[in-house]
Amino acid sequence: MKKALRKTANIMAGFFTLIVSLFTLTSCQADDAISRDYRCFFIFDTSLHPLPCQLTGILGNTGHFCTIEASHRDGYRQLNTVRNFDGNAETILITTAKENQPGIALGANNRIIVGTSSYDFVLIAYDGQCANCLSNFGGTSYPLSWEQGGQRLHCARCGRSYDVNNGVVAAGDPGRQLLRYMVALDGPVLRVWN
């Protein structure tokens, strides 16, 4: 009887160790998918920018993405966005103290891409620069442009194209997938960070 109990206890301990190990490996892999190479911290309050603001409009719509770049004009921050599906550009003035917090950073070269994947319906954020050129050539200016009706992002430097829905190389030489950032829509507030 004692031998059977000891064997059952050993099996249970082994099973518990296996579960904890798998959980730990899965957690590390998910965290490893987030790029830490370039600082990213962005907050956008959609309640301050209701529709027809195109950045607000793409959130939650599968297959819809925007590039986002920040600049300053007349003492205010402004966001320059370009939608993937029609190439429409829009400038959004950021005029409230809440939105003009110091420390906003948009990845490798002040450009990120945000949208909802049409594959798995999750919100995604990428760096707006080619991951392979950043890795292979140094510097930070390898901007991606929309192609194929906004379903791909193309790098003019290396010729690769990336699938916007999952960030993998879809055409050109094999290589790294797009650099990814954490993203969340908490009520009306969009946050992108690493």
Side-chain angles (χ1 to χ4, degrees):
M1 179 81 163
K2 287 183 182 181
K3 191 174 183 180
L5 285 174
R6 197 173 310 138
K7 186 175 181 179
T8 301
N10 286 339
I11 290 172
M12 294 302 288
F15 180 72
F16 179 74
T17 302
L18 177 66
I19 295 298
V20 169
S21 298
L22 288 174
F23 179 73
T24 303
L25 286 173
T26 303
S27 298
C28 291
Q29 288 173 350
D31 191 49
D32 288 346
I34 302 303
S35 173
R36 309 256 189 253
D37 296 339
Y38 305 94
R39 187 171 178 274
C40 185
F41 179 76
F42 175 69
I43 297 174
F44 182 76
D45 189 336
T46 62
S47 69
L48 299 174
H49 305 279
L51 294 172
C53 174
Q54 69 183 24
L55 180 52
T56 299
I58 61 117
L59 298 173
N61 289 307
T62 58
H64 291 201
F65 289 81
C66 267
T67 59
I68 304 166
E69 295 180 77
S71 61
H72 281 86
R73 183 176 177 188
D74 300 328
Y76 293 106
R77 179 178 289 123
Q78 64 183 28
L79 302 177
N80 303 305
T81 63
V82 178
R83 277 193 306 226
N84 69 322
F85 60 90
D86 63 0
N88 189 55
E90 180 180 47
T91 298
I92 305 164
L93 289 178
I94 306 298
T95 58
T96 66
K98 177 181 178 180
E99 294 177 294
N100 276 301
Q101 297 175 15
I104 298 295
L106 299 178
N109 195 19
N110 192 38
R111 190 168 194 243
I112 59 174
I113 298 161
V114 175
T116 304
S117 170
S118 59
Y119 294 165
D120 54 9
F121 315 110
V122 297
L123 195 58
I124 300 173
Y126 302 115
D127 198 285
Q129 308 298 314
C130 175
N132 289 284
C133 290
L134 288 170
S135 177
N136 296 337
F137 305 119
T140 58
S141 187
Y142 307 102
L144 299 165
S145 59
W146 297 117
E147 71 174 13
Q148 290 195 351
Q151 294 307 301
R152 288 191 181 174
L153 290 156
H154 179 73
C155 175
R157 172 70 168 92
C158 69
R160 287 180 178 88
S161 290
Y162 299 87
D163 186 321
V164 73
N165 290 291
N166 60 15
V168 301
V169 175
D173 293 336
R176 297 177 67 180
Q177 66 182 30
L178 293 175
L179 300 179
R180 200 167 184 166
Y181 298 121
M182 296 175 75
V183 61
L185 185 59
D186 299 323
V189 178
L190 171 68
R191 295 182 307 122
V192 182
W193 76 100
N194 61 355

